Amino acid sequence: MHVIDAIRERRSIRSFLDKPIPKEKLEKILDAGRRAPSANNKQPWKFVVVLDQEMRKELADASKYQEFVGEAPAVITAIALNPDYVMSCGVPGYACDISIALDHMMLAAVEEGLGTCWIGAFYQKTVKRILGIPEKYKVAALLPIGFPAESPEPACRKSLEQVICYEHFTE
């Protein structure tokens, strides 16, 4: 599969088959995230893969009761190891670094016939408690992953003319 095809085929999946993910597929996806670029190549992340059904249900509750999070056969939790680092441009480094890594994982998942859904709605302290994450770190996102039980239509996207400017910003 070409990258552009994975980009075009990717959907937010909120319904998963009750089917485990083969270890080799999961490791390929995790490796795609590991290979992502990061500021100064610091790779300031840790990914906790949750396969345990009871823990996934707890994560679903911690995700503001989004039940599908717990129904996915795996949930990848992305943790920022240096959440206070701000790049010289004024943007928190972890927000960019982890976004790139998770996007690599999401596209690799498409290639493997799996679906994902980026979860940013969760209770930070509760997820940290469930996974034993020290207070000094920050949970950036959760990524439920599994074989899709749905085939949603593509989401509407703005046209290139609406989002692209050349040389100078225009509204």
Side-chain angles (χ1 to χ4, degrees):
M1 174 179 285
H2 293 285
V3 173
I4 195 68
D5 294 328
I7 291 168
R8 288 180 178 141
E9 290 181 27
R10 192 215 57 81
R11 305 283 186 273
S12 292
I13 301 299
R14 293 179 178 86
S15 180
F16 298 95
L17 298 176
D18 185 16
K19 178 179 174 183
I21 302 168
K23 184 176 181 176
E24 62 276 3
K25 284 185 181 282
L26 186 57
E27 286 182 353
K28 184 176 179 182
I29 291 161
L30 294 166
D31 190 54
R34 178 185 70 85
R35 294 175 180 276
S38 62
N40 297 311
N41 195 33
K42 296 286 187 189
Q43 303 162 57
W45 50 53
K46 189 75 101 165
F47 302 100
V48 176
V49 181
V50 180
L51 303 173
D52 179 80
Q53 185 176 22
E54 195 54 44
M55 289 180 74
R56 292 189 334 259
K57 286 181 182 178
E58 287 184 61
L59 289 175
D61 290 347
S63 299
K64 300 190 175 188
Y65 304 97
Q66 296 179 78
E67 289 184 27
F68 73 91
V69 172
E71 293 166 0
V75 178
I76 300 169
T77 306
I79 298 116
L81 301 180
N82 189 4
D84 297 328
Y85 170 68
V86 176
M87 297 182 294
S88 61
C89 63
V91 175
Y94 81 87
C96 294
D97 294 340
I98 288 179
S99 293
I100 297 167
L102 287 180
D103 193 57
H104 276 44
M105 289 185 205
M106 292 166 64
L107 295 176
V110 170
E111 183 179 47
E112 294 300 315
L114 298 164
T116 61
C117 186
W118 186 290
I119 304 295
F122 57 87
Y123 301 109
Q124 182 79 213
K125 289 184 182 205
T126 307
V127 172
K128 284 182 177 180
R129 179 189 52 75
I130 293 165
L131 301 179
I133 300 167
E135 186 58 38
K136 64 183 177 180
Y137 302 132
K138 182 171 273 201
V139 178
L142 304 177
L143 193 68
I145 182 169
F147 290 96
E150 63 179 350
S151 273
E153 291 295 316
C156 293
R157 295 287 180 232
K158 293 180 179 180
S159 69
L160 281 176
E161 292 79 17
Q162 291 175 296
V163 298
I164 304 297
C165 307
Y166 288 94
E167 315 317 337
H168 297 284
F169 178 84
T170 58
E171 290 196 36

